[in-house]
DNA sequence: CTCAGATCCTGTGCGC
DNA sequence: TGCGCACAGGATCTGA
């Protein structure tokens, strides 16, 4: 389940292998993803040289002279560099063969991901235009979050997980940042004051930055046999720790469902503001 | 408009 | 040991 730090780590790992390479052929074995792959993908891509990579939210963008490939890893997607002709694995759906005998393989068992070519560029692209600011950018700050929370009765956890508020905060990081901020996940957003919003923003930024740094430490073997994503080495205080003791106050970690998602919290540390 | 819930999909891990 | 089922998750769509 790649979160924003894993996408960033994957991008940094792929960059030196992809930039400057020309796409020689394209193999599409499966087209059914969140949106179907372009029917004429190979015609569009063959002969184009990859100029650079970038990221927006959890979308990885592979820039070409005539367009952009948008890749989303969904929750089970992987991108790996392989030698051309290396043995195929189950769910290896798409393959870009490069001019140096290597290839990029997109593997996604659950097919929640996305592999699209946008030949008109990204300006006003329907998948990107509704996205809020990047969590690590200066545009995501206390006053911004406070202004949005002011009018919302929804649980604060739902608000920080909404892509139009801020991108890249999945269930793990929402859960952990609310614990660090000592805010109960079901607290209605409008109950938070400016100071609390600032604390929350700070923890979201800190935990994402930490995860990216840790992902970076595993970058060297990221494409090794295990391909273990970085957040497994993160110390998770509440996520997945229901019925265990809180590290801080020893209370038993509880869990509620918010918008259909398990939301762990510590009843001792996290306050429901009203 | 706002918010909750359903939906897509398959591998994992639990209980029986 | 084996079977079956609930669960996990991001983004989007629907309906109240």
């Amino acid at each position: 389940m790649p979160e924003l730090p894993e996408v960033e780590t994957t991008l940094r790992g792929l960059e030196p292998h992809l930039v400057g390479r020309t796409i020689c052929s394209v193999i599409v074995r499966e087209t059914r993803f969140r949106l179907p792959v372009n029917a004429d993908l190979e015609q569009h891509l063959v002969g184009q040289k990859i100029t650079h990579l970038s990221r927006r939210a959890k979308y990885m963008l592979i820039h070409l002279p005539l367009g952009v490939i948008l890749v989303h890893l969904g929750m089970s997607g992987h991108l790996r560099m392989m030698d051309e002709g290396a043995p195929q694995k189950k769910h290896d759906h798409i393959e870009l063969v490069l001019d140096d005998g290597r290839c990029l393989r997109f593997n996604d068992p659950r097919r929640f991901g996305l592999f699209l070519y946008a030949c008109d560029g990204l300006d006003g692209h329907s998948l990107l235009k509704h996205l809020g600011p990047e969590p690590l950018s200066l545009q995501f700050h206390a006053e911004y979050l406070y202004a949005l929370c002011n009018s919302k009765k929804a649980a604060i956890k739902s608000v920080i997980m909404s892509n139009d508020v801020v991108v890249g905060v999945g269930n793990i990081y929402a859960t952990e940042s609310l614990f660090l901020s000592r805010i109960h996940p079901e607290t209605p957003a409008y109950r938070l004051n400016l100071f609390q919003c600032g604390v929350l923003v700070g923890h979201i930024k800190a935990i994402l930055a930490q995860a990216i740094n840790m992902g970076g430490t595993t970058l060297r073997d990221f494409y090794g046999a295990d391909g273990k994503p970085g957040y497994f080495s993160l110390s998770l205080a509440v996520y997945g720790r229901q019925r265990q003791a809180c590290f801080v106050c020893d209370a038993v970690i509880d869990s509620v469902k918010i918008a259909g998602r398990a939301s762990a919290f510590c009843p001792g540390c996290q306050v429901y503001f009203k």
Side-chain angles (χ1 to χ4, degrees):
Chain A
M1 44 192 116
E3 299 258 359
L4 186 139
E6 285 72 51
V7 177
E8 184 69 30
T9 301
T10 299
L11 183 144
R12 292 180 190 183
L14 292 175
E15 210 158 31
H17 299 281
L18 293 181
V19 172
R21 298 265 70 91
T22 298
I23 299 168
C24 294
S25 62
V26 178
I27 300 165
V28 179
R29 301 187 181 89
E30 175 64 74
T31 60
R32 297 168 299 165
F33 298 95
R34 176 150 66 87
L35 294 172
V37 174
N38 312 59
D40 46 1
L41 186 70
E42 173 154 39
Q43 283 172 262
H44 281 297
L45 298 186
V46 167
Q48 293 208 62
K49 181 188 276 195
I50 297 167
T51 59
H52 63 288
L53 307 187
S54 64
R55 179 186 64 72
R56 176 72 175 105
K58 292 179 185 170
Y59 291 94
M60 189 175 316
L61 309 176
I62 302 174
H63 297 264
L64 305 169
L66 301 178
V68 184
I69 303 171
L70 283 89
V71 186
H72 195 295
L73 301 177
M75 75 158 283
S76 59
H78 291 278
L79 284 170
R80 297 241 168 84
M81 294 304 305
M82 308 285 287
D83 287 327
E84 185 190 353
Q88 259 180 61
K89 289 188 179 164
K90 199 175 179 183
H91 308 299
D92 274 350
H93 299 311
I94 299 179
E95 183 164 336
L96 301 186
V97 182
L98 307 174
D99 59 353
D100 62 351
R102 305 268 289 166
C103 66
L104 176 69
R105 286 187 182 170
F106 177 54
N107 179 295
D108 186 7
R110 279 172 230 191
R111 308 209 314 269
F112 273 28
L114 201 70
F115 198 104
L116 280 184
Y117 179 65
C119 46
D120 298 326
L122 296 176
D123 284 343
H125 195 284
S126 59
L127 288 171
L128 304 182
K129 68 180 175 189
H130 299 294
L131 296 176
E134 290 287 326
L136 294 173
S137 74
L138 295 174
Q139 283 70 48
F140 183 56
H141 54 65
E143 288 79 6
Y144 167 84
L145 183 61
Y146 179 61
L148 285 178
C149 283
N150 237 339
S151 58
K152 295 185 192 300
K153 291 172 79 172
I156 183 59
K157 178 166 178 273
S158 297
V159 173
I160 59 174
M161 288 183 70
S162 301
N163 265 343
D164 51 351
V165 172
V166 60
V167 301
V169 182
N171 204 27
I172 295 174
Y173 296 110
T175 299
E176 291 294 310
S177 61
L178 285 165
F179 170 78
L180 294 173
S181 305
R182 304 180 66 113
I183 298 168
H184 191 292
E186 288 179 300
T187 299
Y190 73 95
R191 300 285 192 188
L192 298 183
N193 62 30
L194 177 60
F195 177 77
Q196 292 167 323
C197 286
V199 170
L200 182 53
V201 165
H203 283 304
I204 289 171
K205 287 176 186 284
I207 198 166
L208 285 172
Q210 182 198 355
I212 289 172
N213 286 336
M214 297 185 85
T217 65
T218 63
L219 198 56
R220 209 164 291 121
D221 52 27
F222 198 71
Y223 302 106
D226 63 343
K228 198 186 258 186
Y231 62 79
F232 281 131
S233 52
L234 262 184
S235 49
L236 299 175
V238 282
Y239 180 86
R241 295 197 62 244
Q242 298 89 294
R243 296 181 300 281
Q244 300 178 47
C246 173
F247 295 133
V248 175
C249 75
D250 221 35
V252 178
I253 304 298
D254 200 353
S255 181
V256 289
K257 279 230 188 284
I258 300 174
R261 297 281 174 255
S263 309
F265 68 98
C266 172
C269 293
Q270 292 175 257
V271 182
Y272 187 103
F273 294 99
K274 46 179 187 275

